[in-house]
Amino acid sequence: EAGVTQSPTHLIKTRGQQATLRCSPISGHTSVYWYQQALGLGLQFLLWYDEGEERNRGNFPPRFSGRQFPNYSSELNVNALELEDSALYLCASTLTLVSGNTIYFGEGSWLTVV
Amino acid sequence: SQQGEEDPQALSIQEGENATMNCSYKTSINNLQWYRQNSGRGLVHLILIRSNEREKHSGRLRVTLDTSKKSSSLLITASRAADTASYFCATGLIQGAQKLVFGQGTRLTINP
């Protein structure tokens, strides 16, 4: 069974541009999470989607947005890129809205803003 | 501030020794999960322990949870070079929307 898959693996963008990152959850998982991990730092919660709805949002500006599609895949959009947006973006998925389920992570997408 | 705080921030031991990492948190939780991250890669799930559990084992891993002290520990026995990685605890909160709140992690180095 495939795990959480993310694309692209690496992405280089120029300041001011937009970046789109994609995530496919484990089959059967309806919840998708996005986290940002800047170099050498911990994971910061970005967004949580479940059944196509945004359920929770971390402390990030509105230029960070996303959506979840009917097949439960998700994309993260970052507009007006800034240098400090350079980070590893991790997607994770889990079963249902019920808390207490194991949350599985993908390998991440490295975003570099130059 | 982060909900989970790992201690120590870095740990270096010899291969074969046991490694213990601690995690403290602030608010009530319904579960706590430990993850491993190799440099620059995604997180690998290790163990989930629920708030009504006190100890859990998986292979060479042993996790304890003390909800009265709001702390957890991860013990890796008979460490191997391949265990070199960063280890994170993440708490699943009771209050508020479901999400995992991560600490800054413990960087574990196993010396051959």
PDB file of all heavy atoms in Angstrom, chain A residues 97-112:
ATOM      1  N   LEU A  97     -12.100  12.041  11.134  1.00  0.00           N
ATOM      2  CA  LEU A  97     -11.997  13.234  11.958  1.00  0.00           C
ATOM      3  C   LEU A  97     -11.701  12.875  13.408  1.00  0.00           C
ATOM      4  O   LEU A  97     -11.362  13.714  14.207  1.00  0.00           O
ATOM      5  CB  LEU A  97     -13.331  13.983  11.874  1.00  0.00           C
ATOM      6  CG  LEU A  97     -13.382  15.407  12.393  1.00  0.00           C
ATOM      7  CD1 LEU A  97     -12.475  16.284  11.572  1.00  0.00           C
ATOM      8  CD2 LEU A  97     -14.800  15.918  12.344  1.00  0.00           C
ATOM      9  N   VAL A  98     -11.780  11.599  13.735  1.00  0.00           N
ATOM     10  CA  VAL A  98     -11.629  11.190  15.121  1.00  0.00           C
ATOM     11  C   VAL A  98     -10.185  11.317  15.546  1.00  0.00           C
ATOM     12  O   VAL A  98      -9.280  10.839  14.876  1.00  0.00           O
ATOM     13  CB  VAL A  98     -12.077   9.724  15.304  1.00  0.00           C
ATOM     14  CG1 VAL A  98     -11.828   9.249  16.722  1.00  0.00           C
ATOM     15  CG2 VAL A  98     -13.536   9.590  14.917  1.00  0.00           C
ATOM     16  N   SER A  99      -9.970  11.970  16.646  1.00  0.00           N
ATOM     17  CA  SER A  99      -8.595  12.153  17.107  1.00  0.00           C
ATOM     18  C   SER A  99      -8.082  10.863  17.717  1.00  0.00           C
ATOM     19  O   SER A  99      -8.847   9.993  18.105  1.00  0.00           O
ATOM     20  CB  SER A  99      -8.533  13.271  18.138  1.00  0.00           C
ATOM     21  OG  SER A  99      -9.278  12.910  19.282  1.00  0.00           O
ATOM     22  N   GLY A 100      -6.795  10.743  17.771  1.00  0.00           N
ATOM     23  CA  GLY A 100      -6.192   9.566  18.359  1.00  0.00           C
ATOM     24  C   GLY A 100      -5.718   8.565  17.333  1.00  0.00           C
ATOM     25  O   GLY A 100      -5.186   7.517  17.688  1.00  0.00           O
ATOM     26  N   ASN A 101      -5.915   8.860  16.049  1.00  0.00           N
ATOM     27  CA  ASN A 101      -5.390   7.977  15.019  1.00  0.00           C
ATOM     28  C   ASN A 101      -3.954   8.340  14.692  1.00  0.00           C
ATOM     29  O   ASN A 101      -3.554   9.500  14.781  1.00  0.00           O
ATOM     30  CB  ASN A 101      -6.237   8.072  13.753  1.00  0.00           C
ATOM     31  CG  ASN A 101      -7.585   7.433  13.929  1.00  0.00           C
ATOM     32  OD1 ASN A 101      -7.699   6.305  14.397  1.00  0.00           O
ATOM     33  ND2 ASN A 101      -8.624   8.146  13.556  1.00  0.00           N
ATOM     34  N   THR A 102      -3.206   7.332  14.261  1.00  0.00           N
ATOM     35  CA  THR A 102      -1.840   7.584  13.831  1.00  0.00           C
ATOM     36  C   THR A 102      -1.844   8.488  12.612  1.00  0.00           C
ATOM     37  O   THR A 102      -2.662   8.331  11.704  1.00  0.00           O
ATOM     38  CB  THR A 102      -1.137   6.267  13.496  1.00  0.00           C
ATOM     39  OG1 THR A 102      -1.088   5.472  14.683  1.00  0.00           O
ATOM     40  CG2 THR A 102       0.275   6.510  13.003  1.00  0.00           C
ATOM     41  N   ILE A 103      -0.960   9.444  12.614  1.00  0.00           N
ATOM     42  CA  ILE A 103      -0.821  10.379  11.499  1.00  0.00           C
ATOM     43  C   ILE A 103       0.465  10.035  10.768  1.00  0.00           C
ATOM     44  O   ILE A 103       1.537   9.989  11.372  1.00  0.00           O
ATOM     45  CB  ILE A 103      -0.837  11.825  12.003  1.00  0.00           C
ATOM     46  CG1 ILE A 103      -2.195  12.110  12.665  1.00  0.00           C
ATOM     47  CG2 ILE A 103      -0.570  12.796  10.871  1.00  0.00           C
ATOM     48  CD1 ILE A 103      -2.345  13.495  13.224  1.00  0.00           C
ATOM     49  N   TYR A 104       0.361   9.797   9.464  1.00  0.00           N
ATOM     50  CA  TYR A 104       1.489   9.365   8.647  1.00  0.00           C
ATOM     51  C   TYR A 104       1.946  10.497   7.746  1.00  0.00           C
ATOM     52  O   TYR A 104       1.130  11.180   7.131  1.00  0.00           O
ATOM     53  CB  TYR A 104       1.090   8.156   7.788  1.00  0.00           C
ATOM     54  CG  TYR A 104       0.721   6.943   8.592  1.00  0.00           C
ATOM     55  CD1 TYR A 104      -0.609   6.697   8.929  1.00  0.00           C
ATOM     56  CD2 TYR A 104       1.697   6.049   9.026  1.00  0.00           C
ATOM     57  CE1 TYR A 104      -0.956   5.583   9.680  1.00  0.00           C
ATOM     58  CE2 TYR A 104       1.359   4.935   9.776  1.00  0.00           C
ATOM     59  CZ  TYR A 104       0.040   4.703  10.103  1.00  0.00           C
ATOM     60  OH  TYR A 104      -0.302   3.608  10.844  1.00  0.00           O
ATOM     61  N   PHE A 105       3.254  10.639   7.658  1.00  0.00           N
ATOM     62  CA  PHE A 105       3.844  11.735   6.894  1.00  0.00           C
ATOM     63  C   PHE A 105       4.440  11.257   5.578  1.00  0.00           C
ATOM     64  O   PHE A 105       4.877  10.111   5.450  1.00  0.00           O
ATOM     65  CB  PHE A 105       4.959  12.409   7.700  1.00  0.00           C
ATOM     66  CG  PHE A 105       4.441  13.333   8.767  1.00  0.00           C
ATOM     67  CD1 PHE A 105       3.989  12.843   9.972  1.00  0.00           C
ATOM     68  CD2 PHE A 105       4.399  14.705   8.545  1.00  0.00           C
ATOM     69  CE1 PHE A 105       3.495  13.684  10.951  1.00  0.00           C
ATOM     70  CE2 PHE A 105       3.920  15.564   9.521  1.00  0.00           C
ATOM     71  CZ  PHE A 105       3.458  15.049  10.725  1.00  0.00           C
ATOM     72  N   GLY A 106       4.460  12.175   4.612  1.00  0.00           N
ATOM     73  CA  GLY A 106       5.176  11.943   3.378  1.00  0.00           C
ATOM     74  C   GLY A 106       6.630  12.360   3.519  1.00  0.00           C
ATOM     75  O   GLY A 106       7.075  12.767   4.600  1.00  0.00           O
ATOM     76  N   GLU A 107       7.365  12.281   2.405  1.00  0.00           N
ATOM     77  CA  GLU A 107       8.791  12.612   2.409  1.00  0.00           C
ATOM     78  C   GLU A 107       9.044  14.113   2.326  1.00  0.00           C
ATOM     79  O   GLU A 107      10.154  14.560   2.517  1.00  0.00           O
ATOM     80  CB  GLU A 107       9.500  11.900   1.269  1.00  0.00           C
ATOM     81  CG  GLU A 107       9.660  10.403   1.470  1.00  0.00           C
ATOM     82  CD  GLU A 107      10.557  10.088   2.657  1.00  0.00           C
ATOM     83  OE1 GLU A 107      11.555  10.817   2.862  1.00  0.00           O
ATOM     84  OE2 GLU A 107      10.258   9.122   3.386  1.00  0.00           O
ATOM     85  N   GLY A 108       8.009  14.859   1.993  1.00  0.00           N
ATOM     86  CA  GLY A 108       8.158  16.305   1.983  1.00  0.00           C
ATOM     87  C   GLY A 108       8.537  16.882   0.639  1.00  0.00           C
ATOM     88  O   GLY A 108       9.010  16.180  -0.268  1.00  0.00           O
ATOM     89  N   SER A 109       8.304  18.167   0.523  1.00  0.00           N
ATOM     90  CA  SER A 109       8.713  18.943  -0.647  1.00  0.00           C
ATOM     91  C   SER A 109       9.612  20.070  -0.183  1.00  0.00           C
ATOM     92  O   SER A 109       9.208  20.863   0.684  1.00  0.00           O
ATOM     93  CB  SER A 109       7.491  19.548  -1.366  1.00  0.00           C
ATOM     94  OG  SER A 109       6.690  18.571  -1.961  1.00  0.00           O
ATOM     95  N   TRP A 110      10.810  20.114  -0.752  1.00  0.00           N
ATOM     96  CA  TRP A 110      11.735  21.193  -0.409  1.00  0.00           C
ATOM     97  C   TRP A 110      11.432  22.389  -1.295  1.00  0.00           C
ATOM     98  O   TRP A 110      11.499  22.292  -2.515  1.00  0.00           O
ATOM     99  CB  TRP A 110      13.182  20.739  -0.631  1.00  0.00           C
ATOM    100  CG  TRP A 110      13.751  19.935   0.474  1.00  0.00           C
ATOM    101  CD1 TRP A 110      13.942  18.598   0.513  1.00  0.00           C
ATOM    102  CD2 TRP A 110      14.232  20.438   1.722  1.00  0.00           C
ATOM    103  NE1 TRP A 110      14.498  18.226   1.703  1.00  0.00           N
ATOM    104  CE2 TRP A 110      14.696  19.335   2.484  1.00  0.00           C
ATOM    105  CE3 TRP A 110      14.310  21.725   2.293  1.00  0.00           C
ATOM    106  CZ2 TRP A 110      15.223  19.464   3.762  1.00  0.00           C
ATOM    107  CZ3 TRP A 110      14.837  21.858   3.572  1.00  0.00           C
ATOM    108  CH2 TRP A 110      15.287  20.731   4.287  1.00  0.00           C
ATOM    109  N   LEU A 111      11.116  23.500  -0.672  1.00  0.00           N
ATOM    110  CA  LEU A 111      10.891  24.742  -1.395  1.00  0.00           C
ATOM    111  C   LEU A 111      12.041  25.693  -1.092  1.00  0.00           C
ATOM    112  O   LEU A 111      12.317  25.989   0.068  1.00  0.00           O
ATOM    113  CB  LEU A 111       9.567  25.384  -0.986  1.00  0.00           C
ATOM    114  CG  LEU A 111       9.287  26.782  -1.556  1.00  0.00           C
ATOM    115  CD1 LEU A 111       9.217  26.752  -3.073  1.00  0.00           C
ATOM    116  CD2 LEU A 111       8.006  27.364  -0.958  1.00  0.00           C
ATOM    117  N   THR A 112      12.695  26.145  -2.138  1.00  0.00           N
ATOM    118  CA  THR A 112      13.767  27.124  -1.989  1.00  0.00           C
ATOM    119  C   THR A 112      13.342  28.391  -2.701  1.00  0.00           C
ATOM    120  O   THR A 112      12.985  28.353  -3.883  1.00  0.00           O
ATOM    121  CB  THR A 112      15.085  26.616  -2.591  1.00  0.00           C
ATOM    122  OG1 THR A 112      15.448  25.395  -1.942  1.00  0.00           O
ATOM    123  CG2 THR A 112      16.195  27.643  -2.399  1.00  0.00           C
TER     124      THR A 112
END
